[in-house]
């Protein structure tokens, strides 16, 4: 997969984060019991935590601004339960489908 020059640092960070599966398992374990229903993960990056809670969510809206990482999520999960959405969290929040989210997650996101 080609990495655009404006996202190089972002991808380096995401690739390094993949080397820390125990860290993400630990972080998500702190709140996993509260995840249910339609779940929105804001700033999901490469989706490193989605697999920890996917079975207990009815669907997951994986929200990030980086199309290349959203493609990785689609390739990784390939599930109709995981819906990648491109959005800038600083902009208007019109990216979610109508309805209510039951759970919202934001891990390692600095906006």
């Amino acid at each position: 997969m080609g990495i655009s020059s404006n996202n190089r640092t972002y991808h380096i960070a995401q690739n390094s984060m993949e080397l820390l599966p125990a860290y993400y398992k630990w972080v998500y374990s702190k709140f996993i019991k509260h995840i249910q229903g339609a779940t929105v993960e804001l700033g999901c990056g490469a989706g490193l935590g989605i697999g920890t809670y996917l079975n207990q969510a009815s669907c997951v809206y994986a929200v990030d601004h980086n199309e290349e990482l959203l493609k990785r999520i689609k390739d990784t999960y390939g599930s109709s339960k995981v819906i990648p959405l491109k959005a800038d969290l600083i902009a208007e929040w019109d990216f979610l489908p109508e309805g209510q989210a039951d759970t919202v997650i934001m891990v390692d996101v600095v906006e």
Side-chain angles (χ1 to χ4, degrees):
M1 171 191 322
I3 297 173
S4 58
S5 60
N6 62 338
N7 289 323
R8 186 171 306 280
T9 303
Y10 189 70
H11 282 277
I12 290 169
Q14 287 295 306
N15 290 339
S16 296
M17 293 163 88
E18 287 180 320
L19 300 175
L20 303 170
Y23 167 75
Y24 284 100
K25 185 176 180 181
W26 174 79
V27 168
Y28 282 82
S29 75
K30 299 302 176 187
F31 56 83
I32 196 167
K33 66 183 178 184
H34 302 289
I35 297 173
Q36 63 182 0
T39 301
V40 178
E41 183 156 356
L42 300 171
C44 63
L48 301 176
I50 292 172
T52 63
Y53 63 83
L54 183 58
N55 289 337
Q56 65 196 70
S58 60
C59 67
V60 176
Y61 296 102
V63 181
D64 203 277
H65 66 91
N66 187 292
E67 290 179 14
E68 294 169 52
L69 292 174
L70 292 172
K71 183 182 179 322
R72 282 172 66 178
I73 288 172
K74 185 176 181 178
D75 293 344
T76 298
Y77 295 101
S79 167
S80 59
K81 254 179 99 166
V82 179
I83 300 117
L85 297 172
K86 183 180 187 310
D88 181 348
L89 299 180
I90 297 172
E92 293 294 321
W93 285 38
D94 58 358
F95 51 85
L96 289 175
E98 287 189 39
Q100 227 174 339
D102 298 299
T103 308
V104 177
I105 300 169
M106 194 173 197
V107 174
D108 290 342
V109 175
V110 179
E111 297 292 357

